[in-house]
């Protein structure tokens, strides 16, 4: 943060709009990681004036809108990306989430249907298309041909970034009970524990205890979001050797 703020100060000393908005975009990511959402929002808006950073900045703004449950602004920002890049799968998914919460179910499903037809490997769009048609998350889980835990963790962090906590939890529970040919990753249970209500301490303890006993021979945690989860887990239970090892 310190270095980026210094770089911004230097770049804007004589020109408030430097040739590239990347420093503002990177600052937005840092502020977001530090949970300084208003500063992040301002930084992404500043980055968006520059064509090179426009799409990435608008996507981040749409995610922030989702976490604030501001569906109208989320829709505006997602559609701004689609106007510039119609095939952007993340923009289509974010737009569909906003439409879903605004009661425009048919349009949301139509967007996702076309996205899945154009790109069958867009798993976020495929999952949203499944659940928005009132099918169970397990229907989507059964179609995953790679490591189910890792795919679900990727999608869960995308959903959480857009404010879809409940949808993420449903997906995590689905893979917990149907992990496929490989054992479920401990990170699935750790993430479920962190997302569980603070009033349900029994469930949290059970999930963390189960996670501590699991072994996943294929993949270790590697995402920044997982580091945040593990820090919270070790703060809750400093005797959890698995979390410390990860």
């Amino acid at each position: 943060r310190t270095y980026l703020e210094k770089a911004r100060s230097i770049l804007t000393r004589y020109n408030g709009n430097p040739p590239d908005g990347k420093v503002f975009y990177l600052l937005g990511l840092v502020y977001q990681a530090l949970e300084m959402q208003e500063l992040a929002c301002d930084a992404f808006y500043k980055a968006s004036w520059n064509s090179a950073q426009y799409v990435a900045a608008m996507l981040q703004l749409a995610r922030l809108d989702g976490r604030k449950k501001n569906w109208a602004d989320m829709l505006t920002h997602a559609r701004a990306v689609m106007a510039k890049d119609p095939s952007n799968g993340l923009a289509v998914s974010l737009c569909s989430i906003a439409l879903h919460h605004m009661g425009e179910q048919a349009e949301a499903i139509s967007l996702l249907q076309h996205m899945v037809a154009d790109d069958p490997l867009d798993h976020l769009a495929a999952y949203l298309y499944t659940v928005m048609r009132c099918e169970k998350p397990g229907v989507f889980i059964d179609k995953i041909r790679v490591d189910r835990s890792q795919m679900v963790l990727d999608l869960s962090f995308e959903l959480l970034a857009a404010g879809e906590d409940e949808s993420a939890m449903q997906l995590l529970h689905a893979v917990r009970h149907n992990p496929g040919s490989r054992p479920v990753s401990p990170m699935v249970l750790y993430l479920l524990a962190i997302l569980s209500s603070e009033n349900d301490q029994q469930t949290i303890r059970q999930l963390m205890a189960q996670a501590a006993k699991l072994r996943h021979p294929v993949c270790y945690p590697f995402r920044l979001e997982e580091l945040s989860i593990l820090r919270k887990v070790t703060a809750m239970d400093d005797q959890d050797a698995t979390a410390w090892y990860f």
Side-chain angles (χ1 to χ4, degrees), residues 16-212:
N17 297 317
D20 192 304
K22 190 168 186 177
V23 68
F24 300 107
Y25 180 73
L26 294 176
L27 259 175
L29 294 179
V30 171
Y31 289 143
Q32 196 168 229
L34 294 172
E35 299 185 359
M36 304 169 72
Q37 307 301 353
E38 292 306 315
L39 287 176
C41 186
D42 291 343
F44 288 134
Y45 268 120
K46 186 64 176 177
S48 70
W49 74 269
N50 177 252
S51 178
Q53 307 301 326
Y54 181 82
V55 167
M58 282 293 168
L59 287 172
Q60 294 295 342
L61 286 168
R63 285 168 162 171
L64 287 170
D65 294 329
R67 292 209 289 278
K68 292 185 286 189
K69 311 303 179 188
N70 190 338
W71 308 118
D73 283 353
M74 185 183 191
L75 182 62
T76 298
H77 290 133
R79 279 181 167 166
V81 175
M82 291 171 64
K84 191 174 181 67
D85 181 9
S87 63
N88 189 297
L90 181 54
V92 171
S93 291
L94 294 174
C95 185
S96 299
I97 289 171
L99 288 168
H100 170 72
H101 287 287
M102 295 172 71
E104 301 293 337
Q105 193 75 357
E107 186 178 354
I109 291 174
S110 177
L111 279 175
L112 292 168
Q113 183 178 18
H114 285 97
M115 190 70 244
V116 172
D118 290 341
D119 184 3
L121 295 180
D122 189 328
H123 292 93
L124 180 59
Y127 172 65
L128 291 171
Y129 183 57
T130 299
V131 295
M132 285 190 189
R133 289 183 300 147
C134 299
E135 294 186 25
K136 294 182 179 180
V139 174
F140 169 78
I141 293 291
D142 287 337
K143 298 176 182 178
I144 298 177
R145 294 294 177 262
V146 295
D147 187 307
R148 291 182 180 181
S149 289
Q150 297 307 314
M151 175 62 71
V152 164
L153 285 168
D154 278 337
L155 297 180
S156 295
F157 286 125
E158 284 288 356
L159 291 166
L160 292 170
E164 290 293 283
D165 296 25
E166 185 61 33
S167 188
M169 288 190 71
Q170 291 174 0
L171 184 57
L172 290 162
H173 277 298
V175 79
R176 174 191 176 192
H177 297 297
N178 186 12
S181 60
R182 295 173 178 172
V184 66
S185 168
M187 289 307 305
V188 169
L189 301 184
Y190 282 138
L191 181 53
L192 273 172
I194 296 301
L195 294 175
S196 297
S197 170
E198 293 182 359
N199 297 325
D200 193 357
Q201 289 297 315
Q202 182 178 355
T203 296
I204 292 173
R205 287 193 296 269
Q206 288 175 347
L207 287 167
M208 289 178 61
Q210 291 172 16

